[in-house]
Amino acid sequence: MTLDKWKLDYIDYLHSGRLDEAINLKRQNIPSKLYRFEKYEKNRIDTLLRNSIYVSHPDNFDDPYDAKGYYWNEIDLQRCFDGKTRDVPVEKYVKEIKKIVQDWFKNCWIGCFTEDMNNFPLWYYYADKYTGFCVEYDFSCLPQHNLFQQRLQPVIYLKQKFNLTLSLEAVCDPEKVINNEPVPSYWLHIIGNLIKNESWEFEKEWRYVSYDGITKEGGKEVNLPVKPTHIYCGKDMAEENYEVMLKAAESLGCECSKIRLNSFEDREFIVC
């Protein structure tokens, strides 16, 4: 599978600090439909009815490298430090950068979506072996100033970790870091949460990424700025559960249907 070129350009724009270009490029490429897979559980249906999603810390995800898909060259950071100031020990500068990065990871929240409703592994694992459901949303209609739209990001799948050294050098000015002054690290936090190993590319993931500086166990709810456009129920969902989902869809003002496999006469591997 080949990564879309625009996603490589996007991460390059973020890495080089060309934020306006990155924002415009991402906005042009937000899919008209994104999907979220869920198990059939009362708390998940209640969250759906509140028009919210549950976001979690990446520590709770399947991928042990989630939000850790980057590295930096400590020697280059020291060289950057030496070129700007000699008033304090370089070890403190590097230590403070590590603390900043750890804070990103500790205080970030992620909600997952996918571009692909016909994703059989996702139906199996995240919709509980086709007994759960998949919710369709259209976030592409949101204006650029909308906060949710700004926090919606494409996942970038790479063979190796991403080298964050140049970005750290640009953002983490030694004087500010050592004096505990704020540094504009949010977009670095975005990069850090978007890189995953290419073995996960089948998920075709987009994610809502927020950073609120508040450490909390488990997860929390985030209100959505749009309502679902369709709820797809798994082919093996119990009929009584399907009736519940039909009522939920009616309450939300969206369509609801139960997927089925296509016939032996059809060529494509799709559900409909």
Side-chain angles (χ1 to χ4, degrees):
M1 193 178 295
T2 303
L3 187 67
D4 294 337
K5 181 180 182 302
W6 80 264
K7 292 181 180 178
L8 294 176
D9 290 339
Y10 179 64
I11 201 74
D12 182 61
Y13 290 160
L14 288 176
H15 181 54
S16 58
R18 297 155 65 183
L19 302 186
D20 289 340
E21 291 173 86
I23 291 169
N24 290 331
L25 181 62
K26 184 203 74 175
R27 179 167 172 74
Q28 294 167 13
N29 286 279
I30 295 176
S32 59
K33 294 180 180 179
L34 286 174
Y35 303 91
R36 183 172 171 90
F37 287 88
E38 301 279 9
K39 296 179 180 179
Y40 184 90
E41 295 175 347
K42 184 181 183 303
N43 62 318
R44 293 172 185 256
I45 296 168
D46 290 343
T47 301
L48 174 67
L49 288 170
R50 289 192 290 271
N51 201 39
S52 300
I53 60 168
Y54 189 79
V55 298
S56 304
H57 189 274
D59 265 347
N60 300 320
F61 292 171
D62 297 339
D63 182 4
Y65 275 106
D66 214 308
K68 301 174 185 174
Y70 51 86
Y71 73 97
W72 61 80
N73 187 309
E74 192 164 312
I75 294 175
D76 286 344
L77 287 179
Q78 292 177 355
R79 188 179 299 118
C80 168
F81 174 88
D82 289 339
K84 293 183 178 180
T85 182
R86 296 178 184 275
D87 295 337
V88 294
V90 66
E91 291 80 10
K92 183 176 181 181
Y93 172 60
V94 174
K95 181 179 178 180
E96 289 300 315
I97 285 182
K98 289 179 179 178
K99 181 176 181 297
I100 290 171
V101 173
Q102 288 170 353
D103 284 344
W104 303 343
F105 180 72
K106 184 172 62 175
N107 299 317
C108 68
W109 302 98
I110 294 174
C112 302
F113 300 88
T114 178
E115 299 178 24
D116 187 10
M117 195 268 283
N118 291 293
N119 195 314
F120 302 114
L122 299 189
W123 273 109
Y124 189 86
Y125 290 110
Y126 298 118
D128 198 15
K129 302 176 182 178
Y130 296 90
T131 63
F133 56 97
C134 174
V135 188
E136 176 187 278
Y137 298 96
D138 179 6
F139 299 113
S140 66
C141 62
L142 293 172
Q144 186 158 316
H145 65 265
N146 179 271
L147 188 58
F148 191 95
Q149 188 270 131
Q150 293 173 9
R151 292 176 172 177
L152 193 62
Q153 304 289 338
V155 171
I156 314 295
Y157 301 98
L158 301 177
K159 188 173 184 178
Q160 296 179 321
K161 291 181 181 180
F162 186 79
N163 187 347
L164 205 59
T165 308
L166 292 178
S167 295
L168 288 171
E169 289 178 1
V171 170
C172 298
D173 179 83
E175 297 294 340
K176 290 185 177 181
V177 169
I178 291 169
N179 293 326
N180 292 318
E181 297 178 25
V183 296
S185 60
Y186 177 73
W187 57 276
L188 291 181
H189 157 70
I190 292 296
I191 296 175
N193 282 288
L194 297 189
I195 306 300
K196 296 189 71 170
N197 180 262
E198 63 182 7
S199 62
W200 294 94
E201 193 169 5
F202 73 93
E203 292 188 339
K204 297 182 180 179
E205 185 183 352
W206 281 67
R207 46 179 47 177
Y208 167 89
V209 182
S210 68
Y211 174 88
D212 57 16
I214 300 173
T215 304
K216 184 180 178 181
E217 296 296 326
K220 62 179 182 178
E221 276 191 33
V222 171
N223 295 327
L224 295 176
V226 299
K227 287 191 174 183
T229 52
H230 201 123
I231 299 173
Y232 296 92
C233 299
K235 67 181 183 65
D236 296 327
M237 178 180 280
E239 283 303 315
E240 60 269 28
N241 294 347
Y242 182 46
E243 291 298 322
V244 172
M245 298 309 299
L246 286 171
K247 292 179 181 177
E250 182 179 4
S251 174
L252 290 164
C254 69
E255 297 182 59
C256 181
S257 59
K258 198 171 186 179
I259 67 166
R260 60 178 178 82
L261 302 185
N262 59 14
S263 73
F264 289 110
E265 298 172 355
D266 293 321
R267 178 180 297 180
E268 303 295 332
F269 283 108
I270 61 173
V271 294
C272 52

